[in-house]
Amino acid sequence: TSAGGGSNLTCWGQQTANWSGAGSGLLGNGEAPYLHVATPAVENVLQVSASDTHVCAVVGATATSTTGDVYCWGGNLLGAVGDGSATDRSVPIRVDGLGGAATSVDVGMWHSCAVVGGVAKCWGGNGTPHPGWFSYDATDVTVLGQLGVSDRDRSLVPIDVPTPGGSVRSVSAGNGNHTCAVLVNDAWSCWGDGGAAQVGVPGVQRG
């Protein structure tokens, strides 16, 4: 669980997603797994989003950050932390390559998305790994397209998502394998796993 709002962010609970061991460092304090105490993680938090495997936050200006920077931490096997690596992060680390100030961020199970200058930018897993995953193997990823592209299984840094119809107002990565965006004209666009009609078309995957 996490809480923010223009001040320091404090997280509490356990450090790992115990169903698989993924998500090492979820509390963002660099401590060992299964710590059940509140710990400070990030300063001047404007908005935060947490999943079973990782956490991301948009921050305001501090001594080391500018308004709109995004920091992520936790499980990074598919690149959901966005620092260009696939190493789990037990302390918050700034997302590389956003290209501007983020107004919001949302995280799914294996991926993360932010809105920057009216553009949806996503990073991390572009599908779902087999259960019990502990090491990366591209042949074990079922590509579903939650990053908005269909030609890769993951991206370790943010990539732009083409959203026909206008600029993006907000984005939701849910806690699964699809993503939706609300556009400034109040239209919506979804992509990723459509096996249960999540993208608005039954049985269709949209990368």
Side-chain angles (χ1 to χ4, degrees):
T1 305
S2 52
S7 58
N8 290 359
L9 172 68
T10 298
C11 297
W12 56 94
Q14 68 181 37
Q15 288 275 32
T16 64
N18 60 5
W19 51 269
S20 69
S24 177
L26 282 170
L27 299 185
N29 68 327
E31 297 289 341
Y34 306 110
L35 185 69
H36 294 269
V37 297
T39 52
V42 191
E43 296 180 342
N44 200 12
V45 172
L46 303 179
Q47 186 249 328
V48 62
S49 178
S51 77
D52 288 350
T53 57
H54 67 291
V55 184
C56 291
V58 180
V59 303
T62 69
T64 57
S65 304
T66 58
T67 298
D69 282 350
V70 175
Y71 284 78
C72 298
W73 60 97
N76 200 27
L77 185 63
L78 294 184
V81 170
D83 66 338
S85 81
T87 302
D88 288 354
R89 300 297 184 179
S90 61
V91 294
I93 190 163
R94 186 165 17 209
V95 174
D96 288 335
L98 282 176
T103 54
S104 64
V105 67
D106 200 61
V107 301
M109 181 71 76
W110 301 105
H111 72 301
S112 310
C113 296
V115 178
V116 178
V119 176
K121 295 175 180 273
C122 296
W123 59 96
N126 199 33
T128 183
H130 290 175
W133 240 38
F134 292 99
S135 61
Y136 174 70
D137 183 347
T139 63
D140 277 343
V141 179
T142 301
V143 174
L144 297 171
Q146 62 262 43
L147 297 185
V149 296
S150 58
D151 63 346
R152 67 189 73 182
D153 57 289
R154 66 175 180 175
S155 177
L156 303 181
V157 294
I159 57 175
D160 291 0
V161 179
T163 50
S167 297
V168 173
R169 177 187 299 155
S170 63
V171 65
S172 176
N175 198 20
N177 300 306
H178 71 289
T179 310
C180 290
V182 177
L183 309 182
V184 294
N185 61 2
D186 292 327
W188 56 269
S189 180
C190 294
W191 54 93
D193 183 10
Q198 301 97 309
V199 297
V201 181
V204 174
Q205 264 67 254
R206 287 182 166 178

